[in-house]
Amino acid sequence: QVQLAESGGGLVQDGGSLSLSCATSGRTVSNNDMAWFRQAPGKAREFVAGIRGRGGHTFYAEDVKGRFTISRDNAKSSVTLQMNSLKPEDTAVYYCAARRPNILSTIRDPAQYDYWGRGTQVTVSS
């Protein structure tokens, strides 16, 4: 079993920055694919960024590419999402997710993930 806990959300102004952290516990996740998703009110959960457990390749949604950076620290069993140049449309609850490594399936599909955190609210004011 794997437990995930997000932190670092909050209120920031348009153009500001936040760093989200996902702490993992339980079974080791050093080889797991990890990702961040977000869900705004009335909208479906959407992929934001992901990182492969094997190889460390990163993937981003088009609307965050160049602004957000995902990274992992296996020694600390954590994953970070650095968010810069935030926009009001980035406002959402952000979730950390983990799954067993699988290069045959897309990293962008939330249905492929086995473990989820409870989420952290990010609000960007205009």
Side-chain angles (χ1 to χ4, degrees), residues 24-66:
T24 69
S25 59
R27 185 174 59 82
T28 180
V29 296
S30 61
N31 287 329
N32 280 24
D33 295 338
M34 302 291 295
W36 288 92
F37 292 82
R38 67 186 180 188
Q39 188 166 17
K43 295 187 177 181
R45 190 167 297 189
E46 64 176 7
F47 172 80
V48 176
I51 184 167
R52 293 282 189 196
R54 295 172 179 170
H57 301 293
T58 58
F59 303 82
Y60 297 93
E62 281 301 316
D63 59 347
V64 307
K65 199 174 291 185

Side-chain angles (χ1 to χ4, degrees), residues 16 18 20 22 32 39 51 54 63 77 92 96-97 115 117 121 126:
L18 280 175
L20 303 184
C22 174
N32 280 24
Q39 188 166 17
I51 184 167
R54 295 172 179 170
D63 59 347
S77 297
C96 178
Y115 306 103
Q121 177 70 46
S126 57

Side-chain angles (χ1 to χ4, degrees), residues 6-123:
E6 304 93 340
S7 62
L11 173 65
V12 65
Q13 289 188 332
D14 190 355
S17 298
L18 280 175
S19 182
L20 303 184
S21 182
C22 174
T24 69
S25 59
R27 185 174 59 82
T28 180
V29 296
S30 61
N31 287 329
N32 280 24
D33 295 338
M34 302 291 295
W36 288 92
F37 292 82
R38 67 186 180 188
Q39 188 166 17
K43 295 187 177 181
R45 190 167 297 189
E46 64 176 7
F47 172 80
V48 176
I51 184 167
R52 293 282 189 196
R54 295 172 179 170
H57 301 293
T58 58
F59 303 82
Y60 297 93
E62 281 301 316
D63 59 347
V64 307
K65 199 174 291 185
R67 300 189 296 124
F68 291 10
T69 302
I70 187 171
S71 60
R72 67 191 302 157
D73 185 337
N74 287 336
K76 296 181 179 179
S77 297
S78 66
V79 177
T80 299
L81 183 69
Q82 177 65 41
M83 305 186 296
N84 299 327
S85 303
L86 283 161
K87 306 174 182 179
E89 51 264 43
D90 294 318
T91 295
V93 178
Y94 283 69
Y95 297 91
C96 178
R99 70 173 193 182
R100 297 173 185 84
N102 187 347
I103 62 172
L104 299 180
S105 68
T106 175
I107 204 170
R108 302 170 186 268
D109 182 3
Q112 299 292 326
Y113 286 79
D114 305 303
Y115 306 103
W116 291 86
R118 293 186 175 184
T120 185
Q121 177 70 46
V122 171
T123 302

